[in-house]
């Protein structure tokens, strides 16, 4: 059985954090109606500060586009997720309680309490963005239902960051060459995959990755193609693979009570605008994945970024075989072991048939 939160002892575990955050941040992220003219002021927690998704797309949308779309009836303030003072794993619980009314939840973080959410971004499931798009399309109706039933959250968008790939300080030719290396990971699933390859997973915050290489604490790192270049990772590494390990998906949604209090016209206008925003973010993730890799390897397609001279590591037939083997033998079974029969049923009804990969029932204990 998958984990359920805010029931019994689970609620007690979260109570201190929820109450503390409620007291500190309600003025920042509340939702309010300004009587009597039916104007609405929304407080939004967006994505990570300093990255394209937030600076070029989310922030302008909420600050500029929303008032225009609604004729000034709806205005919004948006604050970056990592500047809001919230722990990532708390976001869905806080949205359920209405403390956060419009918010962003990073899948890799909230999946710690609800592993079923992360089916769309399991390590090495989506080697390219075309596969990722298809996976999300297949699983989205289930995500929508799950968020509504378990968290009282209206799913409004799913956002994708650029691909997370392997950077290494010394040469490698395939995934098999990770054996014995210390590899920076950013999720439980990535760590399990890396361990299966015979490597040593080390979870290090993104901001400290370059320093970890300089101190020789890691040999390789899984992180974004473009973001890795922006923090200077090519200065401490030499080889990079284009194979997408993960994508860092995030969910954007609203507390359903708050969402339903908006008049139908405003909901329709906001919903349509958010869908266009989602499409722009996905297109940017695709573009920035390619540009990041091109700039890191001094390819002609580098457009505006700092040029480095890393050695690209081509994806081989053995890589594709290893990816499929790891998915079937390690990634899926370990995910199921954390999640239980609910994940078995969800996978087999959505993503599994497309890949011709069915997973077995969980044995009763």
């Amino acid at each position: 059985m998958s984990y359920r939160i805010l029931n019994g002892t689970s609620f007690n575990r979260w109570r201190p954090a929820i109450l503390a955050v409620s007291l500190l941040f309600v003025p920042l992220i509340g939702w309010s109606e300004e009587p009597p003219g039916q104007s609405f002021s929304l407080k939004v927690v967006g994505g990570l500060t300093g990255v394209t998704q937030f600076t070029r797309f989310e922030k302008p949308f909420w600050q500029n586009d929303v008032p225009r779309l609604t004729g000034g009836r709806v205005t919004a303030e948006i604050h970056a997720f990592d500047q809001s003072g919230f722990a990532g794993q708390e976001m869905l619980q806080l949205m359920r309680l209405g403390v956060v009314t419009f918010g962003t939840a990073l899948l890799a973080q909230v999946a710690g309490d609800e592993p079923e959410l992360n089916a769309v971004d399991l390590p090495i499931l989506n080697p390219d963005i075309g596969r990722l798009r298809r996976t999300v399309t297949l699983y989205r109706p289930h995500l929508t239902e799950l968020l509504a039933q378990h968290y009282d959250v209206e799913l409004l968008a799913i956002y994708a960051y650029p691909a997370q790939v392997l950077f290494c300080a010394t040469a490698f030719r395939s995934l098999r060459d990770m054996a014995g290396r210390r590899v920076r990971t950013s999720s439980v699933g990535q760590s399990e995959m890396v361990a299966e390859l015979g490597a040593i997973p080390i979870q290090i915050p993104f901001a400290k990755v370059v320093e970890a290489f300089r101190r020789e604490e890691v040999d390789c790192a899984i992180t974004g193609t473009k973001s890795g270049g922006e923090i200077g990772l090519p200065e401490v590494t030499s080889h990079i693979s284009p194979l997408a390990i993960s994508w860092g998906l995030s969910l954007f949604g609203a507390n359903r009570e708050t969402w339903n209090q908006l008049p139908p016209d405003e909901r329709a206008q906001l919903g349509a605008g958010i869908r266009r925003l989602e499409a722009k973010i996905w297109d940017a993730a695709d573009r920035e994945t390619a540009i990041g890799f091109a700039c890191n390897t001094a390819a002609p397609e580098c457009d505006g970024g700092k040029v480095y001279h890393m050695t690209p590591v081509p994806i081989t037939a053995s890589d594709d075989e290893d990816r499929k083997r790891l998915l079937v033998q390690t990634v899926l079974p370990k995910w199921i072991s954390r999640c239980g029969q609910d994940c078995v049923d969800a996978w087999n009804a959505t993503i599994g048939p497309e890949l011709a990969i069915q997973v077995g029932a969980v044995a009763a204990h």
Side-chain angles (χ1 to χ4, degrees):
M1 184 65 66
S2 65
Y3 297 106
R4 296 292 177 264
I5 59 168
L6 295 177
N7 292 314
T9 57
S10 295
F11 176 80
N12 291 332
R13 177 165 65 91
W14 286 106
R15 186 192 301 269
I18 289 172
L19 291 178
V21 172
S22 299
L23 290 172
L24 289 172
F25 292 100
V26 165
L28 172 65
I29 58 175
W31 171 90
S32 64
E33 178 184 348
E34 299 175 2
Q38 286 294 299
S39 62
F40 300 85
S41 176
L42 310 181
K43 309 295 184 180
V44 180
V45 176
L48 298 169
T49 187
V51 300
T52 296
Q53 175 179 314
F54 184 78
T55 59
R56 289 185 54 197
F57 298 106
E58 288 185 276
K59 191 173 182 179
F61 171 78
W62 289 103
Q63 290 186 340
N64 304 325
D65 294 354
V66 166
R68 178 180 54 79
L69 287 171
T70 62
R73 293 183 301 277
V74 179
T75 59
E77 294 179 29
I78 182 169
H79 300 269
F81 166 81
D82 48 337
Q83 292 184 337
S84 63
F86 304 121
Q89 67 270 24
E90 297 174 1
M91 283 301 295
L92 289 178
Q93 291 91 328
L94 295 172
M95 290 173 71
R96 180 181 182 179
L97 292 177
V99 177
V100 174
T101 50
F102 289 78
T104 302
L106 303 179
L107 272 182
Q109 295 180 343
V110 295
D113 278 311
E114 191 80 62
E116 197 173 343
L117 292 170
N118 206 34
V120 287
D121 199 23
L122 293 171
I124 61 175
L125 172 62
N126 303 298
D128 55 62
I129 200 163
R131 179 66 252 174
L132 179 66
R133 288 181 186 274
R134 182 60 180 159
T135 297
V136 169
T137 298
L138 290 168
Y139 203 68
R140 189 171 192 144
H142 182 71
L143 271 180
T144 300
E145 182 180 4
L146 189 154
L147 289 169
Q149 290 183 353
H150 296 178
Y151 299 94
D152 203 24
V153 166
E154 183 81 17
L155 178 63
L156 299 176
I158 300 172
Y159 298 144
Y161 287 103
Q164 298 176 5
V165 303
L166 271 168
F167 291 72
C168 286
T170 57
F172 70 98
R173 294 172 297 177
S174 71
L175 289 172
R176 298 176 186 181
D177 290 339
M178 292 301 104
R181 302 194 191 204
R182 297 161 299 174
V183 181
R184 181 264 178 175
T185 61
S186 60
S187 69
V188 172
Q190 286 183 4
S191 295
E192 292 169 344
M193 182 206 75
V194 162
E196 181 65 20
L197 290 168
I200 303 166
I202 301 176
Q203 291 201 23
I204 297 173
F206 175 70
K208 297 183 178 180
V209 173
V210 172
E211 180 183 354
F213 274 101
R214 289 185 172 137
R215 293 183 176 182
E216 299 184 351
E217 296 172 348
V218 294
D219 305 298
C220 300
I222 299 172
T223 195
T225 57
K226 189 170 185 291
S227 59
E230 289 172 343
I231 64 170
L233 197 51
E235 296 173 2
V236 293
T237 58
S238 62
H239 288 65
I240 182 173
S241 167
L243 177 65
I245 306 297
S246 301
W247 292 85
L249 296 182
S250 60
L251 306 173
F252 180 76
N255 173 275
R256 294 183 78 198
E257 181 179 357
T258 298
W259 179 250
N260 290 330
Q261 285 177 7
L262 287 170
D265 286 351
E266 276 68 36
R267 287 205 305 271
Q269 291 160 344
L270 281 175
I274 291 169
R275 287 190 293 274
R276 290 191 293 271
L277 172 65
E278 179 182 30
K280 290 179 181 179
I281 288 173
W282 276 76
D283 289 345
D286 187 12
R287 185 169 58 253
E288 290 191 357
T289 295
I291 290 174
F293 190 80
C295 293
N296 291 335
T297 58
E301 294 80 9
C302 179
D303 182 14
K306 185 175 180 179
V307 176
Y308 295 99
H309 292 82
M310 296 187 71
T311 300
V313 179
I315 300 173
T316 66
S318 67
D319 275 327
D320 196 49
E321 293 171 3
D322 288 342
R323 184 185 69 80
K324 294 175 182 176
R325 175 183 59 80
L326 286 166
L327 180 64
V328 172
Q329 297 182 5
T330 301
V331 173
L332 280 170
K334 288 188 178 295
W335 173 63
I336 293 297
S337 72
R338 292 193 301 275
C339 185
Q341 189 62 42
D342 287 351
C343 283
V344 171
D345 297 340
W347 175 272
N348 288 340
T350 57
I351 303 169
E354 177 88 1
L355 299 178
I357 299 174
Q358 296 288 291
V359 292
V362 175
H365 294 286

